[in-house]
Amino acid sequence: MVGMLYLCATPIGNLEDITLRVLDTLRNVDVIAAEDTRNSIKLLNHFEIRTPMTSYHEYNRIEKAHYLIGLMQEGRDVALITDAGTPAVSDPGEALVVLCREAGIRVTSLPGAAACITALTLSGLSTRRFCFEGFLPADKKERREVLAELSEESRTMIVYEAPHHLTRTLADLEKALGNRRLTICRELTKKFETVMPSTLQEALQYYEDNAPRGEYVLVVEGRSMAQKKEAAVLKWTEMPIEEHMRYYEDQGIDRKEAMKLAAKDRGIGKREVYRMLLDC
C-alpha cells in the first residue's frame, strides 16, 4: 500500500495555534520532513513528539523529494512542515507536491496558520479581493516586470520581506505604485505583535530612521477605479491627437466615430477634439 504526504501547517509564532489534527498526524506518520530540523525540534519537543525528522529545504528540494517519494512508495507516510505557517506557499514544498502528483501519491493539506491571511485580516484594507505575491524577485529585470504588473493591480496585495531588504522593497513599491496605503505587520501572533497602518512614503521614512527587525508582511492597497481611470486619461492626453485618431481609424472606424471615441478617452467634448485637429 502506498503512503501519503501530509502538508502540516505549523504556528507562525504562538505555539497554541497548532491544530489537534496536525499534532495527531505528526505523532503518527513515519517521518517528518522539516525545512530546518534545528528549528522544528523545538516545536516537536514542546509537544513531546518523537517522530524521526529529515531535512527538506530549498537546496535539496528535488533530490530529497525523490527520496521521500521512494519512502511513500514503500508504504510510509510523510508529514511536511515548514519553519512557520503552511507548507508549499512561498516554500520548496511546492516542488514536492508536484512530484507526488506526478508519481500518483496522495497529498492532503492540514490547514492552520498562514501569515498572509493573518496580516490581511488585520490590515484594515479591502479583503474581498486580494492577491498574494510573496517575496519579490531578487533578479532586477524580473523584479521590474513584477512591479509593473503590480502597479496595475486593483486587488489588495500581500508581500513578504526580510528585515535587511525592507527599505529597498518599500522604495521599489513606492516608485512603481505611488504613495499607496499599506499596513505593515510583524511578529504576528507573538507577544510583541505589531500592526502599523501607514503609507509607502511614511513607512519608508520611518524605516530609514528605525532599523527593521523581524520578518515582515506588507499589505498594500490596490489601485482604485478612479486611479485607473485617471491613468488611462493621462495615457491618451499624452498622445498627439492625430495619433489618437489614427489608432481608431486604422481599425476601420470612420472619422466621426473616431472623434467621439477620442473625446471619451480624453474626458473632453467632441468639439474640443475637432478644434485640436484644426490646430494641428
Side-chain angles (χ1 to χ4, degrees):
M1 186 174 179
V2 177
M4 189 169 175
L5 175 65
Y6 296 83
L7 306 175
C8 296
T10 54
I12 57 176
N14 192 319
L15 294 182
E16 298 304 312
D17 289 336
I18 200 164
T19 70
L20 295 175
R21 185 181 173 205
V22 166
L23 290 175
D24 184 63
T25 299
L26 294 178
R27 289 189 177 104
N28 288 287
V29 293
D30 296 289
V31 63
I32 297 171
E35 183 178 6
D36 187 335
T37 56
R38 296 166 300 179
N39 182 67
S40 295
I41 194 64
K42 300 172 187 175
L43 175 71
L44 300 188
N45 285 343
H46 181 82
F47 291 105
E48 299 181 347
I49 296 171
R50 307 300 178 211
T51 306
M53 267 198 304
T54 187
S55 65
Y56 180 80
H57 48 70
E58 179 65 26
Y59 302 104
N60 71 355
R61 68 186 188 282
I62 302 302
E63 178 185 356
K64 183 57 74 73
H66 289 297
Y67 167 77
L68 294 171
I69 288 171
L71 293 181
M72 287 180 276
Q73 288 173 331
E74 293 173 0
R76 300 182 192 180
D77 290 328
V78 175
L80 178 67
I81 60 176
T82 185
D83 283 348
T86 302
V89 179
S90 284
D91 177 79
E94 178 184 5
L96 178 57
V97 172
V98 171
L99 292 171
C100 281
R101 293 296 186 195
E102 291 175 354
I105 292 172
R106 288 181 62 202
V107 180
T108 191
S109 182
L110 283 60
C116 55
I117 299 299
T118 304
L120 176 66
T121 57
L122 290 172
S123 69
L125 298 174
S126 174
T127 61
R128 190 178 73 84
R129 298 173 67 243
F130 62 91
C131 64
F132 174 69
E133 185 59 38
F135 291 93
L136 293 177
D139 178 79
K140 290 182 179 179
K141 180 180 178 182
E142 186 181 359
R143 190 180 181 92
R144 283 196 302 270
E145 292 172 350
V146 169
L147 286 167
E149 291 178 5
L150 292 180
S151 70
E152 301 294 329
E153 182 59 68
S154 60
R155 295 171 294 180
T156 301
M157 296 162 278
I158 305 171
V159 176
Y160 286 168
E161 194 49 273
H164 51 289
H165 293 312
L166 181 64
T167 54
R168 177 198 173 194
T169 292
L170 288 170
D172 287 348
L173 287 169
E174 195 274 331
K175 182 178 179 181
L177 277 60
N179 191 27
R180 302 274 185 91
R181 290 190 301 157
L182 88 159
T183 298
I184 298 179
C185 301
R186 61 180 291 274
E187 299 292 293
L188 288 170
T189 77
K190 299 179 184 178
K191 182 178 180 180
F192 298 106
E193 176 179 276
T194 302
V195 179
M196 187 175 82
S198 185
T199 66
L200 285 167
Q201 286 182 1
E202 290 171 354
L204 181 57
Q205 291 170 359
Y206 177 83
Y207 284 109
E208 284 176 341
D209 297 329
N210 299 272
R213 294 180 180 179
E215 300 298 316
Y216 289 83
V217 184
L218 311 179
V219 186
V220 187
E221 178 183 39
R223 194 176 198 178
S224 69
M225 293 306 295
Q227 289 171 322
K228 278 194 168 185
K229 186 176 180 180
E230 182 181 338
V233 170
L234 181 62
K235 169 191 168 184
W236 290 119
T237 55
E238 289 179 342
M239 180 184 293
I241 188 63
E242 287 182 319
E243 185 179 337
H244 197 163
M245 289 289 292
R246 190 161 54 250
Y247 170 80
Y248 287 117
E249 290 175 332
D250 286 349
Q251 299 176 51
I253 297 172
D254 65 52
R255 193 163 183 80
K256 185 177 180 181
E257 182 64 21
M259 289 175 64
K260 187 186 297 185
L261 291 171
K264 183 179 180 181
D265 290 340
R266 291 170 178 261
I268 58 178
K270 193 168 71 171
R271 287 185 179 181
E272 179 65 14
V273 172
Y274 180 72
R275 185 192 63 76
M276 292 170 68
L277 287 168
L278 289 176
D279 291 341
C280 289

